Amino acid sequence: MVLTTWDGHLRIDHLAEEATVALTLVTVESATELRLRSGLRAGFVTVDRQGPPAYVEVEIREGGLPADIAQLLGPRVAAAVAELIATGRAGRWLQLDLREIDGLAAAWAPYRRVTLAAEQPVRESRGALGAWAGELWTCLGLPDWREVLRALAAPPPTVEVRGTGEPEPARPERTAVEGTWQLPAELAVAVGVAPEVRWTVRPLTGEEFEIELRARRTGPPGAAVLQAGLDDGAQRWISFTAGEGGEPRARLTGAGEPVSVRFRSESRGLG
């Protein structure tokens, strides 16, 4: 692991014609970039697995930053971006201190792991822990969801039994794909579940799909609940609730491009 020296020079550019804002935290190191979802790209120093984002490009929606990105950037950076958009200026510099740089590194850690793991031959099934407006969060995904859903929706191929000209008996049609993810231990403890979350992906009608999530409770509900949501920019969060046998479950539905799933603790309003 290599630690990068950050001097805190942050360049913010308002690309009005493209309705985007680009934030660049100056470094001489090369970065790996990834399109995290529609309207959001991020880059992280390739050799620094603990650093902040070196680059973020985000689409402006309803005249400002998406709420989740504003929270992840922190109040001072988000305010600087809002001021830039409101005044119509093309760009500005902002000097971040070490505390703010560390805050960005902690907040964006789940996206950092996803980005730096994108080119690895073995995909991560364990999420990195991030900080989210006083809560904990992580991000997990199945990189080939598009192919999985396409394969599930396609009719099974007809295979001819060699030498008979007769079709082979139909094979059972797959209607779902299952797997497991590992939540960060700190997040699992905070919401009172085991780290392992089982997921099932099913195609619905057209481009719609469903993801069923199942956890295992390790004790009585604590001061926070576990929530999940598709990382599609819609900011829809679904709380895990007791299903059959008291097993915490959540069901997400989406359409179009499959995206990652975010998990977070939610304690606001529960105390």
Side-chain angles (χ1 to χ4, degrees), residues 158-169:
T158 301
V159 180
E160 181 180 299
V161 178
R162 182 178 297 178
T164 67
E166 297 296 326
E168 184 179 86

Side-chain angles (χ1 to χ4, degrees), residues 45-68:
V45 170
T46 307
V47 296
D48 187 351
R49 297 189 174 272
Q50 293 187 357
Y55 179 76
V56 174
E57 182 179 304
V58 58
E59 179 181 327
I60 298 171
R61 296 185 178 179
E62 299 180 358
L65 291 172
D68 62 331

